[in-house]
Every structure is written in structure tokens, then in C-alpha cells.
């Protein structure tokens, strides 16, 4: 039996209604999700926000506390009546691994129930190959698991993977020998990793999980609907509608890289060709400079000078066009921009996108709020790590924002 599958299995069924066990599972997920969303909540507030009776909430909270998923806070005394006791998620109640597989690097992170990273590891490469990635991930996961007690090892909810859609299609751009990456067409890394590590594995597009990380741990609660752009080796993104990530029919919604645009010379181009770190890499190579430092999250970009300035101006122009194109389809409240670069670079890029939008004809389009993301290069790994938590313990975000009656 896989570690982690034995504990709290009743919570892992997200559907509600067909029988008492499923209703209980749904209600427990609802309580956990509300507490996660608000940090600390007393029983009375959970009952008010969930629509459940006070008695039902009491039973659920006692059960979740007994399972080690909730912790009691200090009593809060009011003017009358019994003091209320706020409940919070137990950081050590659940753990989860997240694996981001990128075109130039891979990250493995272990988080607790609050989403706080506990350990992380990274490898860089010229292009991703499954065997090397499988060895890296399984070794890191098994080594981290060995540091847990037998009891805590049962609290590992699983492994989430964020992986670019149709990775083999980027062979030429990343400089891999022709045909090398075709192996990805038939390699199921989720199944292979589950077989090696004996934890359940969940997989989604890497930019979509980055969007989910921003929704869950970043600016998400501020906006009901937003379009999200993540500038990595190639640009990607995600869509949030009614406080919930919309992944689409194939799980690839919001993959903005292939979005068609018109270049400065009037020819057709794609967003990924104009707004990715790949184009900055090419500019550095033309100048005889080694671009591999861009693959490291802690890299310093201060000495890039005019090359950086030109790249930022170029990227901002095309991101502005992409933002307006997206808002012509859906009336987004905000456009959030993040990426694998230092915080100060993100700030400058967002400022330039806003300035570039001001030069575009916006007749018939309501301008969204242009915002910085908050998580940065770790967004895809963190988002991947939330997949097991969402699948086994929590509910869709949209449930938490329904009108209170």
C-alpha cells in the first residue's frame, strides 16, 4: 500500500451528496478550505460561511483535530457568552512534494499544509530528458522521506508535477539534437515516479500550476477573474474565472505561448518567440556572453545593461498586446505577470507593460489592472506541490467566495 493513502481517506473524495460518507468528505474539505483561506476561524464563523449547522461543524472540527489536521488557538473572550476558539490548519498535518520540469531546469520542493517550503533542490540542463529527471526527482523525494518518522511519512499526500505541454515540440528551440526529445511522446513520468516512490502522483501543465500558486498563495483572493502570464524559458500562463483556475478541455487553457501576433515588420509571430527568456539567451550569445546564469533563480542581472533594457521593452510591447487580446475575449479584472527573474526585473517589466498598453487603441475594451505576481521562479514547483493537497484535502477556490447569507 502506498504511503499516505492509509490516512484520512474519507477526505480524499471531493464529490458530495450520494451517500453519508461522501457528504462528510465534502463537508470536511469545505471546513479545511475555509480555514486555509482565512487563516484562523472559530466554529461560529465556519458555520456562518459554510451554511452548515453549528452541531455539524462541531463534529467535523473535533474529527479533524483528532486527525491532526486542525489546531486549536487561544480562546477569544467576548463581552458575553462563552469564549470562541479559533481553529487553524496544522502545518505538520499534511506534507506534499512538487516537481517543476522546465526546459532548462527542474525544481523539487517539499511543502507543509500551509504551503511553506521545507526543502528544495534544483538541477539545470541544456534540455530535459526523462531518465535524468526521474533519477533526480525520485532520489530527492526518497531522501527527504527518510528524514520523516514513520508517523509523519503517512502524512505525505503525494507528488505534484508541473510539466510543459507537448515538451517534445520544443526540441529545436532548446538546442536538443533532432529526435532526442521524441522519447517524451511515450514516456509517462507520473506513472514512473509513482512506481519508484510509492506516493500518488498528480500532473498538470506547468504554467497552469504556477497560476494556481498565485491564486492560492499570492494575489488570488483580490480578484475574481484574472489572466496570468509567466515568463520562463518560454512564456505560458493561466486563466482564473470566479476564483478558480480554468484548465480547459485538455488542461492546456491559458497556454499563451502560441498566441498569434503581428511583429514589427508586419509578419506573423507568436508570443513565445517575442516574450521569453529564450530570446534574451539568444541576444547574450550574439554578444559572446554565456546565458546559463539565467537558469539560476538567485542570479544577478545588474550588469546586463542595454541588452536587458532592449529585451524588457520588446517583451513589454508584446505582453501588452497579449493582455489586450485576452481581455477582448474575457473581461478580466486583472492581468498578473510573473516569471523566472529577479523581483526588480519583474517590477520594471510590469511598469513597461502598463506604459505600453497606454499606447494601444483600447476602444471597446475595459483595461484590466496590471499587477506583479508575488511568487517568482518558485511558482511552478509550489503550484505543483498544491495538486495533491487540492485533490485529497481541499475544495475548489470558487466555493469559498460564494455570497454569505
Amino acid at each position: 500500500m502506498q504511503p499516505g493513502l492509509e490516512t484520512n481517506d474519507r477526505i480524499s473524495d471531493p464529490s458530495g451528496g450520494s451517500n453519508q460518507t461522501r457528504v462528510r468528505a465534502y463537508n470536511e474539505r469545505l471546513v479545511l478550505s475555509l480555514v486555509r483561506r482565512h487563516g484562523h476561524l472559530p466554529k461560529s464563523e465556519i458555520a456562518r460561511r459554510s451554511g452548515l449547522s453549528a452541531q455539524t461543524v462541531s463534529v467535523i472540527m473535533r474529527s479533524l483535530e483528532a486527525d491532526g489536521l486542525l489546531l486549536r488557538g487561544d480562546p477569544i473572550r467576548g463581552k458575553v457568552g462563552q469564549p470562541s476558539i479559533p481553529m487553524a490548519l496544522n502545518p505538520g498535518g499534511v506534507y506534499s512534494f512538487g516537481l517543476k520540469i522546465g526546459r532548462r531546469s527542474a525544481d523539487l520542493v517539499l511543502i507543509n499544509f500551509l504551503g511553506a517550503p521545507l526543502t528544495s533542490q534544483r538541477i539545470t540542463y541544456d534540455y530535459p530528458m526523462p531518465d535524468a529527471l526521474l533519477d533526480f526527482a525520485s532520489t530527492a523525494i526518497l531522501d527527504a522521506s527518510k528524514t520523516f518518522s514513520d508517523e509523519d511519512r503517512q502524512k505525505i499526500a503525494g507528488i505534484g508535477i508541473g510539466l510543459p505541454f507537448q515538451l517534445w515540440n520544443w526540441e529545436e528551440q532548446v538546442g536538443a539534437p533532432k529526435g532526442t526529445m521524441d522519447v517524451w511522446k511515450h514516456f509517462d513520468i507520473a506513472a514512473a515516479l509513482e512506481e519508484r516512490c510509492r506516493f500518488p502522483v498528480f500532473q498538470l501543465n506547468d504554467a497552469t500550476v504556477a497560476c494556481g500558486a498565485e491564486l492560492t498563495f499570492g494575489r488570488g483572493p483580490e480578484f475574481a477573474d484574472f489572466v496570468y502570464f509567466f515568463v520562463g524559458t518560454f512564456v505560458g500562463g493561466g486563466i482564473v474565472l470566479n476564483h478558480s483556475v480554468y484548465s480547459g478541455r485538455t488542461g492546456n487553457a491559458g497556454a499563451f505561448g502560441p498566441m498569434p501576433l503581428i511583429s514589427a515588420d508586419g509578419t506573423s509571430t507568436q508570443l513565445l518567440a517575442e516574450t521569453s527568456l529564450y530570446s534574451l539567451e539568444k541576444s547574450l550569445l550574439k554578444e559572446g556572453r554565456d546565458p546559463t546564469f539565467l537558469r539560476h533563480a538567485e542570479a544577478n542581472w545588474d550588469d546586463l545593461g542595454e541588452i536587458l533594457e532592449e529585451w524588457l521593452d520588446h517583451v513589454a510591447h508584446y505582453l501588452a498586446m497579449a493582455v489586450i487580446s485576452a481581455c477582448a475575449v474575457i473581461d478580466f479584472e486583472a492581468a498578473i505577470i510573473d516569471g523566472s527573474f529577479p523581483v526588480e526585473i519583474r517590477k520594471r517589466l510590469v511598469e513597461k507593460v502598463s506604459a505600453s498598453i497606454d499606447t494601444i487603441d483600447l476602444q471597446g475594451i475595459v483595461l484590466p489592472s496590471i499587477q506583479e505576481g508575488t511568487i517568482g521562479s518558485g511558482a511552478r514547483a509550489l503550484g505543483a506541490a498544491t495538486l495533491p493537497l487540492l485533490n485529497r484535502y481541499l475544495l475548489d477556490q470558487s466555493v469559498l467566495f460564494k455570497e454569505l447569507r
Side-chain angles (χ1 to χ4, degrees), residues 190-213:
L193 194 58
E194 183 166 321
E195 183 177 356
R196 281 204 190 186
C197 297
R198 311 306 299 167
F199 292 113
V201 179
F202 309 88
Q203 182 177 318
L204 201 59
N205 178 276
D206 61 331
T208 303
V209 297
C211 180

Side-chain angles (χ1 to χ4, degrees), residues 37-189:
R37 166 72 179 86
H38 296 279
H40 298 78
L41 283 179
K43 178 181 68 175
S44 60
E45 188 65 15
I46 292 174
R48 187 174 75 90
R49 290 180 177 274
S50 67
L52 300 174
S53 69
Q55 181 180 3
T56 298
V57 170
S58 293
V59 171
I60 290 173
M61 290 172 66
R62 284 197 298 270
S63 177
L64 294 176
E65 185 180 11
D67 286 341
L69 297 175
L70 288 180
L71 292 176
R72 287 174 176 259
D74 295 329
I76 300 175
R77 298 189 178 277
K79 294 182 179 180
V80 295
Q82 295 294 321
S84 63
I85 300 176
M87 303 295 286
L89 294 186
N90 179 5
V94 184
Y95 303 96
S96 179
F97 287 102
L99 173 64
K100 180 272 295 187
I101 297 175
R103 298 172 182 88
R104 297 297 195 196
S105 65
D107 295 286
L108 190 284
V109 64
L110 171 67
I111 66 172
N112 64 19
F113 205 10
L114 301 183
L118 304 178
T119 63
S120 63
Q121 293 191 43
R122 165 175 281 213
I123 59 168
T124 62
Y125 37 71
D126 291 329
Y127 51 88
M129 292 300 290
D131 287 344
L133 282 164
L134 185 60
D135 288 342
F136 159 72
S138 59
T139 299
I141 289 167
L142 293 174
D143 286 348
S145 300
K146 290 176 183 176
T147 66
F148 282 64
S149 66
D150 289 342
E151 179 182 357
D152 282 345
R153 196 174 297 117
Q154 302 302 318
K155 300 177 183 177
I156 298 175
I159 305 163
I161 299 177
L163 179 70
F165 187 65
Q166 296 184 348
L167 191 54
W168 56 89
N169 283 337
W170 311 97
E171 186 176 80
E172 180 180 352
Q173 289 89 338
V174 298
K178 186 174 178 58
T180 302
M181 293 178 63
D182 284 349
V183 64
W184 282 105
K185 292 181 179 179
H186 309 290
F187 186 79
D188 187 344
I189 193 166

Side-chain angles (χ1 to χ4, degrees), residues 321-376:
M321 294 175 63
V323 168
I324 298 306
S325 297
C327 289
V329 179
I330 298 175
D331 186 18
F332 289 109
E333 217 180 325
I336 297 178
I337 299 170
D338 206 349
S340 295
F341 32 58
V343 173
E344 61 271 16
I345 301 299
R346 180 178 66 202
K347 177 176 172 41
R348 291 178 60 194
L349 177 59
V350 170
E351 290 172 350
K352 286 178 177 288
V353 170
S354 296
S356 187
I357 284 178
D358 288 341
T359 68
I360 299 175
D361 182 2
L362 298 177
Q363 185 174 358
I365 296 175
V366 178
L367 182 66
S369 175
I370 311 300
Q371 300 286 337
E372 287 186 63
T374 60
I375 301 175

Side-chain angles (χ1 to χ4, degrees), residues 257-274:
M259 177 183 282
L261 298 170
I262 302 299
S263 66
D265 62 6
T267 59
S268 177
T269 186
Q270 289 185 323
L271 186 64
L272 64 89
E274 311 296 340

